[in-house]
Amino acid sequence: MVIEINPRTSRSSALASKATGFPIALISAKLACGLTLDEIPYWRDGSLEKYTPSGDYVVVKFPRWAFEKFRGVEDKLGTQMKAVGEVMSIGKTYKEAFQKAIRSLENGRYGLGFAKDFNKRSLSELMVLLREAASERQFIMYEALRKGHP
């Protein structure tokens, strides 16, 4: 079942192309012009109908929020797009790619730990903060896990 079709490429498409080495925009254009996957050449297996991703790496896409720049805006996440950008990182493991993504945010953080004052808060305080989705959720979860939450 087709849920949605957008005749454009998005920021996510560019990141996916870079992560996989697959030219999404070029292939989309060819498909839009009427070619089928079996008519588009693929250097490894003959045609694109046989495409499978290759490579031994993990890619992480992490949003960049900037609630601090907008006066009166509540740091609360929902279905609306509130990110001002995103970063992509590649690593040999999820942990490596995730940590690289955090460093790439260019907000002075070099990992999950010691963000704001979360490391000084009690586990019960952290659990209250986790009730609603906010831009700091990953960092709060890290501290909650570090303090023994299962």
Side-chain angles (χ1 to χ4, degrees):
M1 175 184 292
V2 175
I3 296 172
E4 177 183 5
I5 296 175
N6 286 318
R8 62 177 180 82
T9 56
S10 63
R11 288 189 320 215
S12 296
S13 301
L15 290 179
S17 277
K18 189 171 189 174
T20 62
F22 188 85
I24 293 172
L26 175 67
I27 300 305
S28 296
K30 289 182 179 193
L31 292 170
C33 289
L35 291 176
T36 58
L37 287 176
D38 63 333
E39 296 172 323
I40 301 173
Y42 176 46
W43 63 272
R44 195 168 62 178
D45 291 323
S47 62
L48 270 182
E49 74 206 24
K50 297 176 183 146
Y51 172 79
T52 56
S54 64
D56 192 17
Y57 57 89
V58 175
V59 178
V60 169
K61 175 183 157 185
F62 200 95
R64 172 77 162 98
W65 288 288
F67 288 103
E68 70 279 0
K69 291 183 179 181
F70 305 103
R71 220 173 326 133
V73 175
E74 186 180 11
D75 184 349
K76 186 175 178 182
L77 302 177
T79 57
Q80 291 179 322
M81 168 63 176
K82 293 186 178 181
V84 295
E86 59 203 5
V87 297
M88 181 191 85
S89 63
I90 301 173
K92 293 177 184 161
T93 64
Y94 176 76
K95 183 178 177 181
E96 178 186 355
F98 191 76
Q99 290 287 86
K100 285 168 82 175
I102 292 169
R103 290 184 69 126
S104 298
L105 292 171
E106 296 181 346
N107 61 4
R109 293 186 180 162
Y110 298 99
L112 286 170
F114 300 99
K116 292 193 175 181
D117 67 343
F118 302 135
N119 64 315
K120 296 175 183 161
R121 294 184 183 229
S122 69
L123 181 55
S124 59
E125 287 177 294
L126 294 171
M127 297 312 293
V128 169
L129 290 173
L130 285 171
R131 286 185 186 152
E132 291 197 14
S135 66
E136 301 287 342
R137 184 174 245 188
Q138 300 283 350
F139 304 95
I140 299 167
M141 283 192 305
Y142 172 81
E143 291 298 340
L145 290 169
R146 204 172 64 77
K147 291 185 190 253
H149 191 69

